Amino acid sequence: MKKIFLFAAAAVTMGLASCDIDNVENIGEMSTSEFPKTDGDIEAVLAGVYQNLNTTHANPQCSFLYAACLASDDQLGGGGTNDKLMQAEDLLCNYNADMTNQFYEDRYAGIARANTLLKVLSEAAGIGESVKNKGIGEAKFLRAFYYYELASMYGNVPLILDPDQADTKQGDVKALWGQILQDLRDAVVLLPAEKRTDGRIDKYTAEAMLGRAWLFYTGMYGNGTDIAALTSTNYNPLTSVPLNDGTTLTKQDVTNYIEDCVKNSGYELVSDYRNLWAYTNKLVVDEYPYTAGQGLAWVENDNAVNPEALFSIKFNKLASWQTTIGYANGIALHFGVRGGQDYANTFPFGQGWGAGPVAPNLVNDWKAAEPNDMRLKATVADVNDTQEMPAYTRGGWADFVQESDYYSKKWSPICAVNKGYVKGEDGQDPPAYIACFETGMYPGKWDTSGENNFQLSNIHDLVLIRFADVLLMHSELTDGATVYQGKSGLNAVRNRAGLPDVTYSLDALRNERRWELACEGIRWNDIRRWHIAATQLAKQEGQPIYYCGNPDTNTPHNGGYVARYNATAGFQKMPETQIALGTVQQNPGWSDATSEYGGW
């Protein structure tokens, strides 16, 4: 059965009435002679730190992951005429004073929990060293991850490391990134060399995240920290970074960690790329023309562990309007086919709000560069393709903005033919389709308030780091050295897709990352750190789209993508609530009316 997220059990352990804790500062106030006494005490508080991963799914449209998808050159904003936040994130504009403040506050709540746990662990007596080190390692990883997202989203944010620290203002952005990298390095050192399959962080996940953070910071800030340096087209990555504890982290250090992850972690590439995605689940695979009869099987069938997933957010059927909808996969809901039509028209793709339609320039670039790449059709659903959605009615709800002919399949909700999984209600005929396949795959295991509810029933994992990404990071750090099954990481990933070897070059690496990781929220920081963002974003202008079902073009707003990127370096507007508190200053490019999106 589908795994229940750890925090649900931990809440009972802590004697709390709710599955959603606002903070854990009350635990920090307890005497360390009383807490923590047992391994279970550590697990209870650590579960609260992990729970913050799910918190943002109550409002995914405010999150960095969501914005990173829409802001990149590979996806548009989408949504309806009233979904101005979606379009604003794509256009690098703002909509209302506190567009993303919920995410800002949520992530700092997670950081506060991590800080509390780290403090009590540093003072605790009677806890075994290995248990303590695991707790510290996991808490440091999560603190670093939460800061990584905040720093990617807003640039320089206050660095708070002590739960008793008063409101702190922005400091040196170099110190912020020094702490992120240091926390990840410490997590690598503290966590044991064992692969975990229980949804928890292990040493190798920390190595992978260290590689991701290193590549972004050293590339993005290679020319300096002001807006001119950040938007320069000169790619000049740093090769060493001073950490806040007085040590230095080098490119070779990071390369060694990534190589350890590749060679010793036990993670591996899934043999068929399509098996990574939920549309190959056992309830759907033989009903979907694209996958039928090919022997495909989703890696998560029957609650199996995905051997390629190093870091995932897990969900469960405890989501409800009375607890939190963050226990359901909110990204799947938002990125679903915009609703308002029969499920037979969109099968096997479930419906939602229509965020992040795939930009036509991605499809065009991909076809031109790799016409034989099977990953294009594995990633993008073309509504004009009879193997995809032959009965699709363009627009569904008639207010769709920036609709293209293309949807991303990877994070989509998946519906299924109803074969008795869902019964009729009050004498009504049962539905022909179930909104989310999970309703049929995991029936009756927990609370059923979300059963067949397209807003609450999506619970498949959201994978944030895949082994393929680690292989590509290794190639980037080593100029294509051999590392996996006698191949470079670059060519191992290409071969999995049925493509021949290529000689390593930075351009080849950039293309491969784009195709392999398309629509997974990674492209945005890639084009920023390589200093090619403005050039790539410009390709979205003039692309064919639909507005309310009518042909249109993706027209520039507020000066256009290039002007907005050069004004902001891709950093979001600081929420005005935070400005009013006096802890942060407004980012460049957000201080006048040119940044405000008024509608399509």
Side-chain angles (χ1 to χ4, degrees), residues 76-149:
L76 303 175
T81 53
N82 290 326
D83 294 319
K84 294 179 181 178
L85 181 150
M86 297 181 190
Q87 296 133 39
E89 289 184 332
D90 166 60
L91 299 166
L92 307 184
C93 295
N94 179 65
Y95 178 66
N96 81 38
D98 272 339
M99 185 171 82
T100 62
N101 187 59
Q102 188 65 55
F103 173 73
Y104 189 104
E105 293 184 348
D106 285 345
R107 280 297 184 247
Y108 268 107
I111 289 166
R113 293 179 179 185
N115 286 340
T116 297
L117 178 57
L118 289 167
K119 181 176 182 178
V120 297
L121 283 177
S122 70
E123 299 171 352
I127 299 293
E129 195 69 17
S130 63
V131 172
K132 183 182 291 190
N133 284 344
K134 279 187 180 181
I136 293 173
E138 290 177 71
K140 285 199 170 190
F141 174 95
L142 291 166
R143 180 170 71 180
F145 178 74
Y146 298 153
Y147 268 126
Y148 170 84
E149 289 203 325

Side-chain angles (χ1 to χ4, degrees), residues 32-48:
T32 53
S33 65
E34 300 175 3
F35 183 91
K37 284 185 175 180
T38 68
D39 297 359
D41 291 338
I42 296 175
E43 293 294 306
V45 186
L46 187 57

Side-chain angles (χ1 to χ4, degrees), residues 54-350:
N54 293 79
T55 298
T56 57
H57 281 266
N59 297 281
Q61 70 279 8
C62 300
S63 71
F64 168 69
L65 182 63
Y66 191 100
C69 289
L70 274 55
S72 82
D73 55 330
D74 289 347
Q75 290 176 268
L76 303 175
T81 53
N82 290 326
D83 294 319
K84 294 179 181 178
L85 181 150
M86 297 181 190
Q87 296 133 39
E89 289 184 332
D90 166 60
L91 299 166
L92 307 184
C93 295
N94 179 65
Y95 178 66
N96 81 38
D98 272 339
M99 185 171 82
T100 62
N101 187 59
Q102 188 65 55
F103 173 73
Y104 189 104
E105 293 184 348
D106 285 345
R107 280 297 184 247
Y108 268 107
I111 289 166
R113 293 179 179 185
N115 286 340
T116 297
L117 178 57
L118 289 167
K119 181 176 182 178
V120 297
L121 283 177
S122 70
E123 299 171 352
I127 299 293
E129 195 69 17
S130 63
V131 172
K132 183 182 291 190
N133 284 344
K134 279 187 180 181
I136 293 173
E138 290 177 71
K140 285 199 170 190
F141 174 95
L142 291 166
R143 180 170 71 180
F145 178 74
Y146 298 153
Y147 268 126
Y148 170 84
E149 289 203 325
L150 286 166
S152 295
M153 183 88 145
Y154 301 107
N156 193 11
V157 295
L159 179 62
I160 303 173
L161 303 176
D162 186 334
D164 300 322
Q165 191 172 338
D167 286 345
T168 301
K169 296 184 179 181
Q170 292 162 304
D172 186 346
V173 72
K174 294 179 181 179
L176 171 64
W177 278 98
Q179 189 65 47
I180 292 170
L181 295 170
Q182 180 180 308
D183 275 355
L184 291 169
R185 190 274 317 270
D186 290 350
V188 170
V189 172
L190 289 165
L191 292 170
E194 60 183 17
K195 177 184 176 182
R196 299 190 68 165
T197 59
D198 59 357
R200 299 280 290 275
I201 299 304
D202 60 28
K203 172 187 181 74
Y204 307 111
T205 304
E207 290 175 332
M209 190 64 214
L210 177 59
R212 180 176 291 182
W214 169 271
L215 287 169
F216 178 71
Y217 174 66
T218 58
M220 184 73 177
Y221 289 89
N223 301 310
T225 62
D226 63 17
I227 195 71
L230 295 171
T231 58
S232 165
T233 57
N234 180 40
Y235 177 52
N236 182 38
L238 305 171
T239 57
S240 66
V241 176
L243 305 184
N244 293 357
D245 63 358
T247 63
T248 298
L249 188 68
T250 69
K251 179 181 177 181
Q252 188 59 55
D253 294 333
V254 176
T255 302
N256 293 341
Y257 289 135
I258 291 294
E259 189 154 322
D260 179 57
C261 182
V262 173
K263 292 183 174 180
N264 300 314
S265 68
Y267 293 98
E268 60 184 357
L269 292 179
V270 170
S271 60
D272 193 303
Y273 187 76
R274 295 167 292 183
N275 288 337
L276 289 165
W277 316 114
Y279 58 75
T280 57
N281 78 80
K282 65 183 183 180
L283 300 188
V284 169
V285 65
D286 290 327
E287 307 281 348
Y288 176 24
Y290 170 62
T291 57
Q294 299 186 56
L296 300 175
W298 185 41
V299 289
E300 291 187 40
N301 274 338
D302 301 317
N303 206 35
V305 174
N306 181 349
E308 192 166 328
L310 284 86
F311 184 30
S312 304
I313 301 178
K314 294 188 172 295
F315 304 94
N316 59 55
K317 293 177 85 171
L318 294 170
S320 75
W321 308 116
Q322 286 70 44
T323 55
T324 176
I325 58 174
Y327 294 134
N329 187 336
I331 291 286
L333 169 64
H334 276 253
F335 283 46
V337 177
R338 189 152 179 84
Q341 55 187 294
D342 196 300
Y343 278 97
N345 295 353
T346 66
F347 174 84
F349 303 105

Side-chain angles (χ1 to χ4, degrees), residues 445-558:
K445 296 298 183 183
W446 309 288
D447 173 79
T448 57
S449 62
E451 187 168 302
N452 203 34
N453 183 320
F454 80 110
Q455 295 187 63
L456 297 177
S457 295
N458 295 296
I459 60 172
H460 50 288
D461 291 355
L462 182 63
V463 180
L464 301 182
I465 302 179
R466 290 196 286 116
F467 188 64
D469 189 2
V470 180
L471 290 173
L472 293 172
M473 285 192 280
H474 184 273
S475 282
E476 188 168 1
L477 289 164
T478 64
D479 294 334
T482 299
V483 72
Y484 183 72
Q485 298 180 348
K487 298 278 187 178
S488 68
L490 172 66
N491 283 327
V493 170
R494 287 181 58 80
N495 292 170
R496 195 258 297 268
L499 298 174
D501 291 353
V502 294
T503 301
Y504 179 83
S505 68
L506 183 56
D507 284 342
L509 183 282
R510 287 173 174 173
N511 281 337
E512 199 59 35
R513 286 187 64 83
R514 189 182 187 191
W515 317 140
E516 173 68 25
L517 305 171
C519 304
E520 295 181 51
I522 296 171
R523 173 74 173 169
W524 177 231
N525 269 4
D526 275 356
I527 60 175
R528 296 168 76 196
R529 68 182 177 87
W530 290 325
H531 291 263
I532 60 172
T535 301
Q536 297 304 310
L537 291 171
K539 294 181 179 180
Q540 295 178 108
E541 295 186 0
Q543 291 294 317
I545 59 167
Y546 299 87
Y547 175 74
C548 298
N550 298 310
D552 196 0
T553 57
N554 197 41
T555 52
H557 284 69
N558 299 69

